[in-house]
Amino acid sequence: MSHMTIRGWKTKFKQIRKEFGYSEKEDFRSAKKLNSLLKKRFKKKQLQNLIEEKTVFIIGAGPSLSKSLKYMKKHNNVTKIVADGAVRGLLENNIKPDILVTDLDGDMKSIMRIGKTKIPIIVHAHGDNYDKLDIVGKFLNVIGSTQTETFGKVVNFGGFTDGDRCVFLAEYFNAKKIILIGM
């Protein structure tokens, strides 16, 4: 991802934070907690191998998701990056995500199911989920995400919603093609 893109995002996010009244201090507090809970530093290669120069499905929980399930099942040679709201529907239809992006407000049973596998879970810390972050200790393959500056073991890939974060992640790692499903 170009530095211009992330810089442009940071400017936009300042506007979002102001408009919604989000506290940068609370975001940072959550990011610090997440950073302290992570066992290992983010390994760029892991996500790079899944995304770089590949076609990527970004899957959200919008109303069109159920109509897209057959289409997704036909395409096994793509990377599926899933926002947490969609993960339950995928699992119920035997579609395995390659990467899960969550701020821990989706179906926790499904998130925990993925957490017991080696599928990378990008957990996003923000001011509203401080109390939920302890669960990351139960995940096998967690990567910390923040909307503050990147520091320690947490990274700011960009994005506001889980779906946004999926797209920014794909862009960050130079996906060849990004296809939105259920958005």
Side-chain angles (χ1 to χ4, degrees):
M1 170 181 271
S2 74
H3 294 292
M4 189 56 126
T5 305
I6 196 69
R7 214 175 342 189
W9 169 248
K10 287 177 183 177
T11 301
K12 185 67 178 168
F13 189 72
K14 282 181 184 178
Q15 294 170 336
I16 292 169
R17 185 180 271 137
K18 184 177 179 183
E19 186 172 325
F20 284 90
Y22 295 147
S23 165
E24 188 171 1
K25 182 180 174 185
E26 290 302 310
D27 287 344
F28 186 66
R29 178 174 168 253
S30 289
K32 279 184 7 187
K33 179 177 181 178
L34 179 58
N35 184 60
S36 73
L37 294 168
L38 296 173
K39 295 176 181 94
K40 59 186 177 185
R41 201 170 274 289
F42 160 66
K43 288 190 172 73
K44 190 175 183 177
K45 200 82 176 147
Q46 179 186 18
L47 296 179
Q48 205 167 7
N49 290 340
L50 287 169
I51 299 170
E52 190 172 56
E53 291 302 314
K54 297 201 168 105
T55 297
V56 175
F57 286 169
I58 304 295
I59 306 165
S64 65
L65 178 60
S66 59
K67 295 176 200 159
S68 303
L69 293 171
K70 283 183 187 175
Y71 174 78
M72 281 189 282
K73 285 184 177 185
K74 289 180 189 175
H75 294 85
N76 293 331
N77 58 341
V78 298
T79 297
K80 294 174 289 307
I81 304 177
V82 181
D84 68 9
V87 72
R88 180 177 173 193
L90 293 186
L91 292 175
E92 288 173 350
N93 286 278
N94 296 314
I95 299 172
K96 186 179 85 173
D98 294 298
I99 300 169
L100 174 62
V101 176
T102 182
D103 60 0
L104 305 173
D105 67 356
D107 179 64
M108 286 310 295
K109 188 175 178 182
S110 299
I111 293 169
M112 286 300 299
R113 196 166 144 198
I114 298 298
K116 293 176 183 174
T117 71
K118 293 193 177 191
I119 294 168
I121 300 181
I122 313 293
V123 174
H124 187 76
H126 57 67
D128 291 342
N129 69 355
Y130 183 89
D131 293 334
K132 296 178 181 179
L133 293 171
D134 290 312
I135 198 151
V136 303
K138 296 181 179 183
F139 298 156
L140 287 180
N141 192 8
V142 64
I143 296 165
S145 169
T146 180
Q147 52 203 36
T148 65
E149 292 296 321
T150 293
F151 70 94
K153 299 174 214 150
V154 294
V155 182
N156 186 343
F157 298 110
F160 178 55
T161 66
D162 291 333
D164 292 345
R165 290 185 203 110
C166 292
V167 174
F168 271 84
L169 184 68
E171 174 69 19
Y172 187 93
F173 286 101
N174 300 311
K176 182 166 111 181
K177 188 178 196 179
I178 297 172
I179 300 170
L180 303 179
I181 296 175
M183 297 291 209

